[in-house]
Amino acid sequence: MKRGRLRVLLGAAPGVGKTYTMLEDGARLRDEGKTVEVAVVETHGRTATAAQLEGLPVIPRTITEHRGVELTEMDLDAVLERHPQVALVDELAHTNAPGSRNEKRWQDVDALLEAGIDVISTVNVQHIESLSDVVEQITGAPQRETIPDQVLRAADQIEVVDLAPQALRDRLAEGNVYPAARIDAALSNYFRLGNLTALRELALLWLADEVDSALKAYRSEHGIDSKWEARERVVVALTGGPEGETLIRRGARIAARAAGGDLLVVHVSRQDGLAETFPGALASQRSLTEKLGGSYHQVVGDDVPRALVDFAKAMNATQLVLGVSRRSRIAAALTGPGIGATVIRESGVIDVHIVTHSKAGGHFTLPRVGGALTLKRRLVGSALALALGPLVTWILVTFRTDETLTSDVLVFQLLVVVVALVGGIWPALFAAVLSGFTLDFFFVEPFHSVTIARPFHLLALALYVINALLVSYVVDQAARRSRSAARALAESELLATIAGSVLRGQDALQALITRTREVFHLTSVQVTSGAETLYCTGDPKDGDHVTRIEVGEHGTLELRGPDLAASERRLLKVIAAQVDAALEHNALSATADAVRPLAQVDQVRSALLAAVGHDLRRPLASATAAIGGLQTPGVTLSDVDREELLATAAESLDSLATLVTNLLDVSRVQAGALAVSLVDVDVDDVILGAFDELGIGPDEVDLGIEQNLPPVVADPVLLQRVVVNLLDNALRYDAPGGRVHVSASSFAGTLQIRIADRGPGVSPDRREDIFVPFQRLGDTDNTTGLGLGLALSKGFTEGMGGTLEVEDTPGGGLTMVVTLPLR
């Protein structure tokens, strides 16, 4: 019998729509004429999911009793007996009740497949065995039900049912996933935005790896050797030299440009083991590779380029990164093309990146302005004149006739021009004089003597030498201008590089002195102020020659290394000016940093005086008026009036005492002198105590406290004041007719108290401001106190080792989240 096909719908979290999609596909297959039956489905009370069952036959479940509790499971025997073409089996990782035929539901599914029944099933990423520990680290929730990876990978088809994290949170907030009583706890724990994003990435990456394995198997079965660019794979080739880290980081950046790109680092070692390598460097490079998320490979092969290309093709690489050769030009000329050239020729459709590094061409340097061609070019020009002169003479003498003198002169003229182009004025002058004597000795009568019979020939030789001098002069001037232009370009690149370092956020002074040391081949550069060294690069103990340049009034620039030419000292003046500007900027920044706390203190003091001037005036005025009314002579007050005035005075004085207490607490928090007594606290008592203090009953708010909460480590007095402040704030700003929601739940070793309102909320850019003392929402309502409640709440919470954070309430409003450690 032909084995059935298994199709698995993979989800990142509950509620993304796996069961809904499974039932929807079942209905579609039923409409296509196939017999489809629901073997088992878990709707979890979701109305939309239950509605999809309409029209689909559901096989009754079998009932098993375990420890006095009735459990329902899929009736495997009934499904096999009815033998539909397609069976819908929800929750593939489910553990069956004790006494069932199989321990796991995926084993039941395997029995259906063996019977030739096609199965559509569902599973969440947290149930994949290889990912369960990762999911627990992300969510804090252990996974008791898992499915082996090989079982899931054996499925004929795996699809991800994807939903954006925020869309899933919105679906949860609307009550489409869990009952209302579980929504707040779910949003604050498992269904956090960061958790959902990480779980979604896990699901997509797991499926991508599965697709990649299937692709490799297909290419292997069909003998396909060409590159398929399904995913960016960057292979970095290491020689074992110190340039390896540069290559690895470059390869990692290339791989990171494409989502899901792979980094593979390979070192090819020869079979004879004679190639020069650096084991320590390879070990550190392997560690770096692993830190960057890549994989390290070791390949043995005598033909290094062929081994690299074969490895890249085997890995289906799209790009190959190599370092530029460390050989000199002479070595390259003697030994032929290097590994890079051979790899480029053999790589085919694989892109090859040749990356320069410090061991190849050194750091960026400025060309020296010498005014003429280099000594090397002059020597080459002289050697060319000595080598080609005799050769040209021998050839021309062999074919000499009475009519060839003109052509002979032109040939020697060409020789002088070639030498001038290569070596400049002095080799060209040497070639002109040498060729003039040669022409006179071998080609002008009388032959084999330096005498000239005709004055016209003397004039021709003179013009010939002058022409050679003019050509060589033009070449020399062109070389001079080319060198000057290269120098100017290099200086511009230097200054642009320094400016770029500053713009990218790097330390301006450090960038300046580092580039200066590289450019001028110095052993060290440092900026000093008196006996203090402000910045330094290199070893200041190396180098005998020291050049010191004053940089304004702020310090001295010290350079150790070879003596600098006058043209280089000119550029140093520009660099010194920039160093001076950077030092001045740093000094101004330090002054601003020193003044900023004073400005903040002054701002707080002004806010305090303004707030105190208003908020203390009201209770003082009320108390004064009440007491004055009691003391007014000649006025007889009734008992009711007297009690009312006394109550007004008492209320005003209580308000005044609260304000003063809050001011003292703020000062203690800011001074770090808050007294905290941490003990085990029952959060139920704290929340109910806050209700009593505010005079509200549990029926006036939505209360959701997780049962059997362990004690929280906190100061009971401070924690109650935090809850009172947050709850009072929520009640004040809640929407008309709305109800504040208060909940408490445990999550990953912590307790979270969430107080949510449906008010106007706070924009993200102002959320830090609400915790600043003497700040009120909008700073317009002067009837709501000093604006100390949230500042105190944050200070108290952090003093107890917890955090106070702000979140949006799903559907609108603000949620304050207090997180404290559990015992």
Side-chain angles (χ1 to χ4, degrees):
M1 180 181 294
K2 183 180 178 181
R3 181 179 170 87
R5 293 177 57 83
L6 174 61
R7 178 183 171 210
V8 179
L9 303 177
L10 176 65
V16 296
K18 303 180 302 300
T19 305
Y20 186 95
T21 303
M22 179 185 71
L23 296 175
E24 191 176 46
D25 289 350
R28 176 179 54 79
L29 293 172
R30 177 203 59 196
D31 295 340
E32 293 175 358
K34 294 186 176 182
T35 58
V36 180
E37 297 193 13
V38 178
V40 62
V41 66
E42 303 290 349
T43 64
H44 298 289
R46 299 165 192 165
T47 305
T49 304
Q52 289 294 317
L53 283 169
E54 184 178 352
L56 290 173
V58 180
I59 300 175
R61 301 189 187 190
T62 181
I63 300 176
T64 302
E65 185 173 337
H66 178 65
R67 294 181 180 178
V69 178
E70 289 189 351
L71 303 175
T72 61
E73 297 292 350
M74 181 181 75
D75 192 338
L76 178 59
D77 294 330
V79 179
L80 291 172
E81 181 180 353
R82 299 178 65 159
H83 204 280
Q85 289 179 288
V86 180
L88 307 182
V89 181
D90 206 5
E91 297 186 358
L92 185 61
H94 173 74
T95 300
N96 292 329
S100 301
R101 180 192 296 188
N102 297 309
E103 180 185 359
K104 294 288 188 176
R105 184 168 289 172
W106 60 264
Q107 295 171 322
D108 294 341
V109 168
D110 189 64
L112 297 178
L113 297 174
E114 288 293 336
I117 301 174
D118 293 342
V119 176
I120 302 177
S121 189
T122 65
V123 71
N124 280 327
V125 69
Q126 70 261 29
H127 298 302
I128 299 176
E129 190 169 310
S130 65
L131 300 179
S132 60
D133 58 337
V134 180
V135 173
E136 183 176 356
Q137 291 176 4
I138 294 172
T139 64
Q143 303 302 318
R144 297 180 178 84
E145 296 182 330
T146 60
I147 179 172
D149 288 57
Q150 61 269 24
V151 174
L152 194 55
R153 293 186 188 278
D156 299 276
Q157 187 176 351
I158 303 176
E159 300 177 19
V160 170
V161 180
D162 190 30
L163 186 66
Q166 188 56 54
L168 178 55
R169 283 175 58 87
D170 293 341
R171 179 182 290 182
L172 179 64
E174 293 166 1
N176 296 326
V177 179
Y178 289 148
R182 297 177 58 190
I183 291 176
D184 193 71
L187 283 173
S188 61
N189 298 323
Y190 195 92
F191 286 80
R192 288 180 172 181
L193 189 61
N195 291 358
L196 296 178
T197 302
L199 293 174
R200 185 190 191 195
E201 182 180 12
L202 272 181
L204 295 174
L205 288 177
W206 188 92
L207 184 62
D209 289 338
E210 170 61 21
V211 172
D212 186 52
S213 300
L215 179 62
K216 287 182 179 178
Y218 178 85
R219 294 175 70 239
S220 176
E221 292 172 0
H222 293 77
I224 300 173
D225 190 36
S226 60
K227 180 187 68 168
W228 285 8
E229 296 187 9
R231 184 196 297 189
E232 285 288 352
R233 285 185 176 85
V234 182
V235 173
V236 178
L238 300 182
T239 64
E243 74 279 1
E245 291 192 3
T246 300
L247 303 182
I248 294 171
R249 295 183 190 279
R250 175 62 61 87
R253 289 196 296 270
I254 295 174
R257 293 171 188 165
D262 291 336
L263 173 66
L264 301 94
V265 176
V266 59
H267 171 65
V268 179
S269 56
R270 298 184 185 273
Q271 293 181 352
D272 54 17
L274 296 178
E276 180 186 6
T277 58
F278 304 87
L282 282 174
S284 63
Q285 290 160 17
R286 179 170 188 165
S287 176
L288 176 62
T289 301
E290 294 171 352
K291 287 180 181 178
L292 295 176
S295 58
Y296 182 86
H297 305 266
Q298 189 90 11
V299 177
V300 178
D302 289 331
D303 188 347
V304 176
R306 171 53 56 189
L308 283 176
V309 173
D310 289 345
F311 175 82
K313 290 182 177 179
M315 294 293 105
N316 199 27
T318 58
Q319 304 193 55
L320 185 57
V321 178
L322 298 91
V324 70
S325 176
R326 286 181 284 172
R327 301 181 305 162
S328 65
R329 293 183 179 179
I330 296 177
L334 294 176
T335 60
I339 293 176
T342 307
V343 168
I344 291 173
R345 186 175 61 252
E346 301 289 339
S347 62
V349 294
I350 300 176
D351 297 335
V352 180
H353 301 262
I354 303 295
V355 180
T356 187
H357 49 81
S358 59
K359 298 299 180 181
H363 294 291
F364 170 82
T365 57
L366 295 175
R368 295 185 178 272
V369 178
L373 298 178
T374 61
L375 176 61
K376 180 179 178 181
R377 285 189 62 175
R378 292 199 295 270
L379 292 176
V380 172
S382 302
L384 192 64
L386 289 173
L388 292 182
L391 178 62
V392 169
T393 301
W394 177 75
I395 295 174
L396 293 179
V397 168
T398 302
F399 299 99
R400 182 182 61 190
T401 65
D402 294 339
E403 299 176 353
T404 59
L405 179 59
T406 302
S407 61
D408 295 339
V409 171
L410 292 175
V411 170
F412 276 102
Q413 181 68 67
L414 177 61
L415 173 62
V416 173
V417 171
V418 171
V419 172
L421 291 173
V422 174
I425 186 170
W426 296 111
L429 179 60
F430 170 71
V433 173
L434 181 62
S435 59
F437 280 105
T438 302
L439 283 169
D440 180 46
F441 192 82
F442 288 100
F443 300 97
V444 178
E445 295 179 351
F447 299 133
H448 307 124
S449 69
V450 292
T451 59
I452 300 175
R454 299 178 184 178
F456 177 76
H457 288 169
L458 178 61
L459 177 62
L461 286 175
L463 292 174
Y464 170 80
V465 173
I466 292 172
N467 190 29
L469 291 174
L470 292 176
V471 170
S472 61
Y473 176 76
V474 170
V475 173
D476 187 81
Q477 289 299 310
R480 183 191 300 270
R481 291 186 174 87
S482 176
R483 186 69 59 82
S484 298
R487 172 80 181 192
L489 177 61
E491 292 178 359
S492 300
E493 290 178 354
L494 169 63
L495 297 177
T497 301
I498 294 173
S501 300
V502 176
L503 291 175
R504 286 190 296 269
Q506 300 177 8
D507 188 284
L509 274 171
Q510 194 63 46
L512 276 167
I513 65 173
T514 299
R515 300 299 289 175
T516 301
R517 175 172 171 258
E518 293 175 357
V519 164
F520 298 109
H521 301 285
L522 300 169
T523 57
S524 70
V525 178
Q526 60 182 359
V527 179
T528 61
S529 178
E532 181 184 2
T533 300
L534 303 178
Y535 291 87
C536 180
T537 178
D539 188 356
K541 297 179 181 179
D542 293 340
D544 297 331
H545 190 274
V546 180
T547 301
R548 290 183 173 85
I549 300 177
E550 297 296 326
V551 285
E553 300 176 355
H554 300 93
T556 303
L557 184 64
E558 294 187 359
L559 306 98
R560 298 178 182 271
D563 194 13
L564 302 177
S567 57
E568 294 173 328
R569 290 179 180 272
R570 177 180 56 83
L571 181 59
L572 274 179
K573 292 182 180 179
V574 177
I575 295 176
Q578 295 201 24
V579 170
D580 184 30
L583 287 172
E584 184 175 3
H585 178 269
N586 287 354
L588 293 174
S589 298
T591 302
D593 291 340
V595 172
R596 188 175 294 111
L598 299 177
Q600 293 174 347
V601 170
D602 185 68
Q603 182 180 4
V604 171
R605 184 183 295 111
S606 299
L608 173 62
L609 292 174
V612 169
H614 178 276
D615 290 279
L616 292 184
R617 186 185 305 121
R618 288 189 296 110
L620 283 175
S622 299
T624 302
I627 295 175
L630 291 171
Q631 295 177 338
T632 302
V635 177
T636 303
L637 297 175
S638 65
D639 292 340
V640 174
D641 291 338
R642 183 180 297 277
E643 290 295 330
E644 184 175 349
L645 289 174
L646 288 173
T648 300
E651 180 181 354
S652 299
L653 292 175
D654 286 343
S655 176
L656 181 61
T658 300
L659 290 175
V660 173
T661 300
N662 285 341
L663 288 173
L664 292 175
D665 287 338
V666 166
S667 65
R668 292 191 187 101
V669 169
Q670 293 185 337
L674 183 66
V676 179
S677 176
L678 298 179
V679 296
D680 289 347
V681 178
D682 189 344
V683 70
D684 295 3
D685 296 338
V686 172
I687 293 177
L688 294 178
F691 287 175
D692 292 340
E693 186 173 338
L694 291 173
I696 60 175
D699 58 331
E700 299 179 49
V701 298
D702 290 332
L703 190 59
I705 300 179
E706 182 181 314
Q707 294 184 355
N708 301 320
L709 275 177
V712 63
V713 180
D715 185 313
V717 176
L718 295 183
L719 182 57
Q720 181 167 322
R721 291 194 62 188
V722 170
V723 175
V724 167
N725 287 337
L726 298 181
L727 186 56
D728 180 61
N729 204 62
L731 291 170
R732 182 181 302 119
Y733 291 107
D734 194 25
R739 290 170 65 89
V740 173
H741 183 81
V742 180
S743 65
S745 59
S746 59
F747 175 70
T750 62
L751 172 85
Q752 288 189 338
I753 302 175
R754 305 175 66 87
I755 300 176
D757 63 61
R758 295 285 181 177
V762 178
S763 60
D765 58 328
R766 288 222 55 195
R767 289 184 179 175
E768 291 299 323
D769 295 339
I770 64 176
F771 295 112
V772 177
F774 314 114
Q775 291 288 321
R776 305 183 186 91
L777 186 63
D779 281 339
T780 56
D781 183 6
N782 288 324
T783 65
T784 57
L786 289 172
L788 298 175
L790 292 180
L792 284 173
S793 298
K794 188 175 181 66
F796 290 164
T797 305
E798 292 177 349
M800 292 183 289
T803 60
L804 175 59
E805 297 174 333
V806 182
E807 294 181 1
D808 289 323
T809 302
L814 196 69
T815 300
M816 306 299 293
V817 183
V818 178
T819 304
L820 291 167
L822 289 172
R823 172 59 65 187

